[in-house]
Amino acid sequence: MWYLLHSSSINVRQKLCILSLCTSLLPRRRPKSKDLLKMAFAGILNEADIAAAIKDCAAADSFNYKTFFAKCGLSGKSADDVKKAFFVIDQDKSGFIEEDELKLFLQTFQAGARALTDGETKAFLNAGDSDGDGKIGVDEFALLVKA
Ligand SMILES: [Ca+2]
C-alpha cells in the first residue's frame, strides 16, 4: 500500500481513495461487552445472588425458571425492577423476549454463563408465552417472575 501511495503512476485523488479505504478497514474500538453485561443488572440485583443462581443451574437441562428467579432475587423485586430486568434481557429492544434471547438468557445475567439447551428454551418459552405468539412480552415476563 505504501508503495502505491508513493508511486507516481496514480494521482492524488486515487491516493486519497486508497487512504480512506484503509482507514475504514481499521478496527474500531468497541465497548467491552463483559463490562456492559456486568453492569446490566446493577441497582436491581446483587452480584452474589446472581452468581449463586447461575451456579445452581450450571448442569445442562437443570434450569428451572422459578428456582432461578427466586435465587437471583428477582421474584422479590418491585414491578418496576422486573420491568427493567425485562428490557435488559430484551437485547434487541424489540419489546419482546424472543426465542434466541431466551436461549442466551443466563448470559445477560453473567458473561460466560452457558446457553440454555433447546429443551430448556422451549419449556421456558411455553411457560411464559400465554398468548401463543412465540415470544415473551413484558406482562408475560412479570407473571413468570412472580410465578
Ligand atoms: Ca427482543
Side-chain angles (χ1 to χ4, degrees), residues 86 89-98 100-101:
F86 173 87
I89 300 161
D90 174 19
Q91 296 191 58
D92 64 359
K93 307 295 169 220
S94 68
F96 293 96
I97 300 173
E98 287 86 0
D100 55 335
E101 289 168 337

Side-chain angles (χ1 to χ4, degrees), residues 3-63:
Y3 167 76
L4 269 176
L5 285 176
H6 288 106
S7 146
S8 52
S9 64
I10 57 173
N11 64 31
V12 174
R13 207 190 167 94
Q14 285 169 318
K15 285 179 185 176
L16 278 175
C17 186
I18 292 168
L19 258 183
S20 71
L21 186 73
C22 291
T23 321
S24 71
L25 291 176
L26 287 175
R28 297 215 174 94
R29 199 186 164 275
R30 289 192 193 139
K32 288 179 197 153
S33 60
K34 209 175 168 183
D35 293 344
L36 286 178
L37 284 171
K38 208 176 166 190
M39 295 305 293
F41 288 95
I44 308 176
L45 299 175
N46 113 29
E47 230 171 292
D49 290 343
I50 293 179
I54 301 262
K55 203 175 166 200
D56 197 61
C57 59
D61 291 315
S62 69
F63 176 78

Side-chain angles (χ1 to χ4, degrees), residues 25-145:
L25 291 176
L26 287 175
R28 297 215 174 94
R29 199 186 164 275
R30 289 192 193 139
K32 288 179 197 153
S33 60
K34 209 175 168 183
D35 293 344
L36 286 178
L37 284 171
K38 208 176 166 190
M39 295 305 293
F41 288 95
I44 308 176
L45 299 175
N46 113 29
E47 230 171 292
D49 290 343
I50 293 179
I54 301 262
K55 203 175 166 200
D56 197 61
C57 59
D61 291 315
S62 69
F63 176 78
N64 175 302
Y65 70 91
K66 284 185 199 178
T67 316
F68 184 85
F69 287 136
K71 275 221 164 203
C72 75
L74 195 60
S75 35
K77 296 291 168 182
S78 68
D80 236 34
D81 280 346
V82 172
K83 207 177 253 187
K84 276 184 211 157
F86 173 87
F87 288 108
V88 173
I89 300 161
D90 174 19
Q91 296 191 58
D92 64 359
K93 307 295 169 220
S94 68
F96 293 96
I97 300 173
E98 287 86 0
E99 199 168 334
D100 55 335
E101 289 168 337
L102 216 48
K103 197 168 177 53
L104 301 179
F105 173 82
L106 293 178
Q107 291 171 14
T108 59
F109 286 82
Q110 191 181 70
R114 71 177 176 92
L116 295 181
T117 64
D118 289 345
E120 285 170 327
T121 307
K122 285 256 183 285
F124 197 5
L125 180 65
N126 289 339
D129 182 20
S130 36
D131 63 5
D133 63 357
K135 51 198 181 180
I136 294 177
V138 65
D139 297 333
E140 289 173 333
F141 182 72
L143 287 174
L144 261 187
V145 169

